[in-house]
């Protein structure tokens, strides 16, 4: 099997909320780290009072850092935008936050939430990241992929909005257990099966995506752009 992971260069995974990055591409993050690639994760939002408690927000941040250490993330970036309230942030400000992130990281490869996700935060982060990723000079992200997030991507209305139809599958059979262990770090977010956000559901999805391309486990993505 040809390992194109080596071509990814500096990779940036953008998560609207803590745990989206593990749900969507935790296996790929670990595989990239094992291959010696620099992997940055940006957590776009943070829970704020009165909607969320300070204690809860601090706890999720600690969980995210523990998960990222396990996966081998190079650096975690916290943008601290308001969770579940991005629609109240001026779009120019959100674009600016993404632009500053891209300027700091200078990523070659981007993983984004899917535009059709049911959560509005996901949709807005996708759009602003696409603004930041515009090819306006000689250095810009050459590869952009949209990942799926259990309980967000699959709860959308594909007959009305964009449906997730993956055309990129990345083998994660060697890193699936680390993905599940990283998700287990999010004790505040883990559910009990048949809750979608449970280790059993994550394993089942990875096995299904893998079997689709005759692999033991995989993560699936929609290719947005690739420049070769």
């Amino acid at each position: 099997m040809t390992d194109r992971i080596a071509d990814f260069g500096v990779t940036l995974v953008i998560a609207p909320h803590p745990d989206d990055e593990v749900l969507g591409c935790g296996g790929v993050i670990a595989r990239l780290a094992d291959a010696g690639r620099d992997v940055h994760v940006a957590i776009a939002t943070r829970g704020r009072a009165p909607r969320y408690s300070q204690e809860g927000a601090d706890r999720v941040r600690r969980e995210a850092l523990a998960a990222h250490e396990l996966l081998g993330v190079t650096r975690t970036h916290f943008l601290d935008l308001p969770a579940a309230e991005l629609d109240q942030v001026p779009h120019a400000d959100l674009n600016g936050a993404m632009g500053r992130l891209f300027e700091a990281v200078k990523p070659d490869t981007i993983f984004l939430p899917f535009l059709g996700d049911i959560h509005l935060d996901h949709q807005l982060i996708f759009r602003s990241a696409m603004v930041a990723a515009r090819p306006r000079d000689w250095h810009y992200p050459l590869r952009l992929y949209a990942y799926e997030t259990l309980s967000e991507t699959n709860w959308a209305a594909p007959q009305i909005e964009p449906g997730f139809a993956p055309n990129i599958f990345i083998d994660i059979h060697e890193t699936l257990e680390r993905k599940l262990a990283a998700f287990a770090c999010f004790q505040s977010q883990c559910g009990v099966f048949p809750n979608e956000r449970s280790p059993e559901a994550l394993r089942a999805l990875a096995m299904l995506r893998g079997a689709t391309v005759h692999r033991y486990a995989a993560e699936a993505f929609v290719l947005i752009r690739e420049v070769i």
Side-chain angles (χ1 to χ4, degrees):
M1 179 173 60
T2 301
D3 192 354
R4 293 182 58 198
I5 288 292
D7 299 332
F8 276 39
V10 177
T11 298
L12 173 61
V13 180
I14 303 175
H17 315 102
D19 84 355
D20 289 332
E21 73 286 4
V22 176
L23 292 168
C25 42
V28 170
I29 291 172
R31 185 172 165 187
L32 285 165
D34 288 350
R37 303 296 93 183
D38 284 339
V39 186
H40 295 250
V41 173
I43 306 297
T45 66
R46 176 183 174 88
R48 296 183 182 178
R51 189 180 303 276
Y52 302 97
S53 70
Q54 179 73 33
E55 179 183 0
D58 289 344
R59 177 183 179 183
V60 174
R61 177 166 294 197
R62 291 193 299 270
E63 292 171 344
L65 290 172
H68 296 175
E69 182 177 5
L70 194 156
L71 293 174
V73 170
T74 304
R75 181 180 173 187
T76 304
H77 305 257
F78 294 101
L79 305 188
D80 289 337
L81 296 162
E85 295 179 349
L86 286 185
D87 58 324
Q88 300 178 36
V89 176
H91 193 57
D93 292 349
L94 188 52
N95 290 351
M98 285 292 128
R100 290 188 293 274
L101 171 67
F102 279 44
E103 181 61 29
V105 176
K106 293 182 170 51
D108 301 297
T109 301
I110 302 287
F111 287 90
L112 304 168
F114 182 59
L115 176 62
D117 286 359
I118 196 170
H119 202 308
L120 186 56
D121 282 0
H122 288 225
Q123 299 171 29
L124 293 171
I125 290 298
F126 174 91
R127 292 192 180 280
S128 288
M130 289 298 295
V131 170
R134 287 175 296 176
R136 296 184 297 173
D137 54 33
W138 289 109
H139 190 278
Y140 58 87
L142 300 179
R143 299 166 198 81
L144 284 77
Y145 304 101
Y147 59 82
E148 61 181 329
T149 309
L150 272 174
S151 80
E152 302 292 357
T153 310
N154 56 300
W155 274 95
Q159 68 275 22
I160 299 173
E161 297 182 306
F164 187 81
N167 52 9
I168 297 290
F169 297 82
I170 300 181
D171 190 318
I172 63 163
H173 79 277
E174 293 184 350
T175 57
L176 174 58
E177 297 306 322
R178 271 168 62 201
K179 170 177 178 157
L180 298 179
F183 182 62
C185 292
F186 289 97
Q187 295 182 5
S188 64
Q189 308 300 312
C190 279
V192 177
F193 189 78
N195 186 294
E196 291 170 292
R197 295 201 172 197
S198 63
E200 293 88 348
L202 280 181
R203 183 185 296 277
L205 179 61
M207 292 175 66
L208 172 63
R209 294 307 190 192
T212 302
V213 290
H214 200 74
R215 296 289 185 268
Y216 291 111
E219 288 170 335
F221 307 91
V222 172
L223 174 64
I224 302 167
R225 181 174 72 219
E226 183 175 41
V227 180
I228 299 175

